[in-house]
């Protein structure tokens, strides 16, 4: 009986489990799709974009002057601070800042000797003039011959020539004396002194003393290929160094320095060679950039950005 009761109890238990399981299940949840993503709509921005032709260039100063000793002598003084900006002559009649002084005493003595020679020549001329006048009077009175008159005239001519030669010697001595004080021929930044005080300068050849660089404006030199040159002339109707029909000098040109930064001021075409180099097929052109702060140095390699024309 127990065995039979156990066999009957198994189905009852299983049925109860199924009922419990079925009774404990809920209906499956329905799938809800996510909301559509938010989309921001912006109006298109229309801007003019300028394309550039890039050229590698080098910078050169507007003017570079080598200051040399033009007369021989011992250097007495250096009258400037190395690296400073010196003033040049304000006009053709003026002189720039004093830079060097060479001992003047030998040239002062030479000037005094030349002046003495001039005084002697002038005295000889006065004597020759007086002799000519007296000979002319004697000839009028029949006390002198025509030959004597000719001789006196020749003496006066020689005396006048001697005066001119003596005057030239005085002028040359004054010039040499003036060269003992060396002035700045141009305004600009001056380099270091290449000779110390006490050295003999201007001996066998003019001694280089220092260099002055006028670096505002600064020039960027580039090599333009024939294709770029023809494109420029065709689109602008002019050469790179010619002004436009409206009197302006073309579009502004940018400059990029070695560190990748853009120079703050733009430049303009300033000069172009008259012919293309047949060996390289390029034309050398020059762009001038203002350099008021002295940020640009001669010898720097730069990238010159020339805007392309689109024919608008």
């Amino acid at each position: 009986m127990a065995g039979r009761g156990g066999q009957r109890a198994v189905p009852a238990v299983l049925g109860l489990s199924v009922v419990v399981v079925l009774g404990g299940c809920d209906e499956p949840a329905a799938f809800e799709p996510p909301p559509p993503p938010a989309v921001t709509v912006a109006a298109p921005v229309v801007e003019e974009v300028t394309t550039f032709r890039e050229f590698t260039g080098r910078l050169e100063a507007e003017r570079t002057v080598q200051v040399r000793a033009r007369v021989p002598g011992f250097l007495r003084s250096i009258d400037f601070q190395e690296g400073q900006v010196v003033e040049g002559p304000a006009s053709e009649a003026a002189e720039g800042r004093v830079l060097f002084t060479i001992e003047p005493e030998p040239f002062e003595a030479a000037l005094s000797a030349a002046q003495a020679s001039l005084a002697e020549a002038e005295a000889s001329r006065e004597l020759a003039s007086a002799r000519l006048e007296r000979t002319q009077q004697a000839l009028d009175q029949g006390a002198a011959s025509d030959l004597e008159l000719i001789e006196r005239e020749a003496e006066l001519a020689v005396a006048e020539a001697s005066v001119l030669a003596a005057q030239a010697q005085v002028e040359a001595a004054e010039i040499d004396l003036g060269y003992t004080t060396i002035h700045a021929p141009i305004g600009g930044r001056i380099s270091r002194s290449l000779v110390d005080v006490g050295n003999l300068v201007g001996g066998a050849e003019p001694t280089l003393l220092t260099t002055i660089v006028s670096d505002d404006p600064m020039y960027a030199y580039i090599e333009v290929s024939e294709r770029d040159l023809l494109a420029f002339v065709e689109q602008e109707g002019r050469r790179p160094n010619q002004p436009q029909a409206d009197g302006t000098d073309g579009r502004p040109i940018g400059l990029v320095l070695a560190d990748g930064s853009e120079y703050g001021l733009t430049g303009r075409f300033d000069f172009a060679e008259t012919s293309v180099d047949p060996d390289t097929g390029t034309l050398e052109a020059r762009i001038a950039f203002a350099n008021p702060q002295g940020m640009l140095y001669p010898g720097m390699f730069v990238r010159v950005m020339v805007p392309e024309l689109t024919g608008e």
Side-chain angles (χ1 to χ4, degrees), residues 114-268:
Q115 291 172 340
S117 298
L118 175 60
E120 182 181 357
E122 290 174 341
S124 298
R125 181 182 61 181
E126 292 178 2
L127 179 59
S129 178
R131 286 178 175 177
L132 175 61
E133 184 178 356
R134 294 189 61 178
T135 301
Q136 181 67 52
Q137 294 175 355
L139 180 63
D140 294 340
Q141 298 173 1
S145 64
D146 292 338
L147 180 60
E148 290 177 333
L149 180 63
I150 294 173
E151 290 176 349
R152 296 295 181 263
E153 290 176 346
E155 289 176 358
L156 178 59
V158 171
E160 290 177 344
S162 297
V163 170
L164 294 176
Q167 290 175 341
Q169 291 178 354
V170 170
E171 293 176 0
E174 290 175 343
I175 292 174
D176 288 342
L177 179 60
Y179 286 157
T180 61
T181 303
I182 301 175
H183 300 264
I186 63 171
R189 193 170 302 278
I190 192 168
S191 180
R192 65 184 180 89
S193 175
L194 301 178
V195 181
D196 295 327
V197 172
N199 282 282
L200 179 64
V201 297
E205 61 182 15
T207 305
L208 178 60
L209 302 176
T210 189
T211 302
I212 300 178
V213 175
S214 177
D215 56 2
D216 186 16
M218 189 71 74
Y219 292 141
Y221 286 87
I222 62 175
E223 299 292 334
V224 181
S225 68
E226 292 185 34
R227 178 174 297 181
D228 291 333
L229 175 63
L230 293 175
F232 183 93
V233 173
E234 180 181 358
Q235 295 181 13
E236 287 219 354
R238 65 186 181 95
R239 292 189 175 189
N241 60 333
Q242 290 179 330
Q244 295 189 135
D246 59 1
T248 63
D249 50 1
R251 299 187 178 190
I253 299 174
L255 189 68
V256 179
L257 305 179
D259 60 355
S261 63
E262 294 185 7
Y263 184 58
L265 301 176
T266 58
R268 304 280 181 173

Side-chain angles (χ1 to χ4, degrees), residues 50 52 85 126 191:
T50 303
F52 295 88
V85 176
E126 292 178 2
S191 180

Side-chain angles (χ1 to χ4, degrees), residues 69-75 102-103 106-107 176 180 200-205:
R70 304 179 68 174
V71 292
F74 288 95
L75 189 62
I102 299 173
E103 56 174 355
F107 301 96
D176 288 342
T180 61
L200 179 64
V201 297
E205 61 182 15

